[in-house]
Amino acid sequence: MKVIVQQAPFDPYHVITDYQAKHLQPGRYGAVVSFVGAMRDFGEQDSVTAMILEHYAGMTEKQIEKVCNDAATQWDVLDMLVVHRYGELHPNDPIVLVAVWSTHRSDGFDACRYIINFLKQRAPFWKREIGSSGARWVESNTEDIGI
């Protein structure tokens, strides 16, 4: 398992391929389930041109590692990778990648969903949107329907 919190942009598909080649034995996994979250150009304001993500270095990584370990105890997963950006982001920039390798897809989907829901709802990140009306702090994330 690996958790990376970084300011630099990343290509999620390259990151998955590179991690898989370096850390997973071919033929051992039957599923690679991934989620890539990207910045939208809208929020509660009419339009959003940028977003600033802040975090508490050290604590953020530990909390993400804990939720990954929790997922590993609930589902049969082989490995997990989480990459999350902070700093200034713009529409279409990838913000987060969650990748889960498992023998069977069901465990991979469940673990991936569990991790991304934690990141959306409880991870220690603070968002400030910048748009046509100025800057504002985002007080809560949107919730997925049916969760």
Side-chain angles (χ1 to χ4, degrees):
M1 173 198 46
K2 186 163 186 147
V3 173
I4 302 167
V5 178
Q6 66 183 41
Q7 190 169 12
F10 66 94
D11 177 342
Y13 309 104
H14 179 264
V15 170
I16 290 171
T17 303
D18 186 55
Y19 186 86
Q20 187 170 283
K22 291 177 180 174
H23 299 281
L24 286 122
Q25 184 178 6
R28 298 276 306 167
Y29 54 90
V32 182
V33 176
S34 64
F35 172 86
V36 176
M39 189 189 147
R40 298 182 296 242
D41 67 354
F42 62 91
E44 287 186 26
Q45 298 178 357
D46 292 340
S47 65
V48 177
T49 56
M51 179 172 62
I52 310 295
L53 271 177
E54 297 180 10
H55 78 292
Y56 191 102
M59 181 180 78
T60 302
E61 293 86 347
K62 285 183 182 178
Q63 288 196 3
I64 297 170
E65 288 169 1
K66 182 185 179 314
V67 81
C68 288
N69 286 325
D70 291 347
T73 64
Q74 294 182 53
W75 294 283
D76 186 16
V77 298
L78 301 170
D79 207 344
M80 293 170 278
L81 170 65
V82 176
V83 180
H84 204 299
R85 284 197 54 201
Y86 68 92
E88 185 171 334
L89 296 113
H90 299 277
N92 297 328
D93 284 350
I95 300 171
V96 62
L97 162 67
V98 176
V100 178
W101 288 264
S102 59
T103 304
H104 301 286
R105 69 182 176 274
S106 179
D107 288 318
F109 276 115
D110 290 341
C112 188
R113 182 178 297 109
Y114 179 80
I115 295 165
I116 194 60
N117 283 342
F118 167 82
L119 292 171
K120 284 287 288 180
Q121 297 168 3
R122 297 189 314 272
F125 287 98
W126 298 273
K127 297 179 185 178
R128 191 166 27 127
E129 292 180 341
I130 301 166
S132 55
S133 303
R136 72 167 195 90
W137 289 100
V138 177
E139 294 194 25
S140 64
N141 280 313
T142 55
E143 291 192 31
D144 287 341
I145 297 170
I147 301 254

